[in-house]
Amino acid sequence: MRIAEVVRQGTLAVLCCIVTAAVVAGPPIPRSLFYRQFIEQPDGTLAGPSQIWAEGNNTHCLMLHEGRFVHALQRGDSLYIWIDGHRDGQRKYLGNGLASYGVIRQIERIRNLGAWDREVKVDGAVYEFYMYTGIAQIDGQQYEEHVSVSFDSRSGAPKVWVSDIMVGGSGVFERLTMIFRDVEVNKAMPLGIFDLPNGVVFTEKK
């Protein structure tokens, strides 16, 4: 996966909440997560995995690309991208919507501001689906997104996260499906995992 693809995926998820139905019951909301993430391709194959650490409003994604480790560190509404061994990196502003929050904060907003949809049993496990709809502005462009996420009813761990995103009033939605595997809930985060690297200079990515 190229660095530009990392930025694209972050941009695609940018939204502001327009749903007002509050949800207080349901699965617990994790305090932190570690997981391996796959992206479903149009032909049904899975790209990845990426390793993800998430706590509070921060998310650190690590992936292997062409023999080098690529990092994508989200700290609130800013996404920092760099490659191990390189002294230059990119910073991307994520707008004012859903993606301007780390994964844990996104889950909180989907659970509290979205709507419960249905319950599904898979291999003896119960998953609860929540729906979220929002709009946002980024770089003068408006986005609309419809999100569906399934959560393990016992741990609150996400399983499948589907975002249908429309740019402006095009009427055409682009789908992004993220698969969560090997999820560890409320895991202690490695020391410094959300720190920016020393010696890397970040330039603004438009």
Side-chain angles (χ1 to χ4, degrees):
M1 182 181 296
R2 299 186 182 279
I3 293 179
E5 181 67 10
V6 178
V7 175
R8 185 188 71 86
Q9 289 175 8
T11 302
L12 284 176
V14 173
L15 295 165
C16 284
C17 178
I18 61 173
V19 177
T20 58
V23 177
V24 295
I29 296 176
R31 296 187 305 273
S32 65
L33 291 171
F34 170 77
Y35 56 95
R36 291 177 174 82
Q37 178 180 282
F38 293 81
I39 304 296
E40 186 175 283
Q41 304 300 298
D43 62 1
T45 60
L46 298 180
S50 302
Q51 294 188 84
I52 312 286
W53 295 264
E55 185 177 52
N57 209 24
N58 301 319
T59 303
H60 190 151
C61 172
L62 176 65
M63 68 193 76
L64 185 64
H65 175 66
E66 296 181 352
R68 289 184 177 272
F69 285 112
V70 179
H71 299 259
L73 172 61
Q74 181 181 0
R75 304 171 79 179
D77 61 8
S78 294
L79 181 68
Y80 299 87
I81 301 172
W82 72 94
I83 300 173
D84 277 358
H86 288 207
R87 294 186 177 182
D88 57 322
Q90 297 176 350
R91 177 186 179 273
K92 174 69 176 179
Y93 172 61
L94 296 177
N96 61 356
L98 187 63
S100 66
Y101 299 89
V103 169
I104 298 298
R105 294 289 179 263
Q106 289 186 43
I107 290 172
E108 290 176 347
R109 292 180 71 80
I110 290 169
R111 289 288 311 284
N112 293 326
L113 300 172
W116 183 88
D117 183 53
R118 66 190 186 279
E119 180 181 283
V120 175
K121 292 184 178 180
V122 180
D123 297 329
V126 178
Y127 295 93
E128 297 190 35
F129 283 75
Y130 284 77
M131 309 295 291
Y132 176 98
T133 300
I135 56 174
Q137 293 282 337
I138 180 172
D139 297 332
Q141 182 67 66
Q142 179 171 293
Y143 291 77
E144 178 182 341
E145 180 180 60
H146 299 272
V147 179
S148 173
V149 185
S150 58
F151 298 99
D152 187 293
S153 63
R154 294 167 299 180
S155 68
K159 181 67 174 178
V160 179
W161 187 309
V162 180
S163 297
D164 289 306
I165 303 147
M166 179 174 65
V167 180
S170 66
V172 178
F173 284 88
E174 182 175 353
R175 172 160 290 188
L176 176 66
T177 301
M178 295 171 285
I179 311 297
F180 293 66
R181 291 184 178 173
D182 305 321
V183 183
E184 299 181 38
V185 177
N186 300 331
K187 178 182 176 65
M189 297 289 98
L191 185 65
I193 193 65
F194 303 120
D195 293 344
L196 290 172
N198 292 325
V200 177
V201 176
F202 293 92
T203 57
E204 201 71 20
K205 173 68 176 180
K206 298 296 184 181

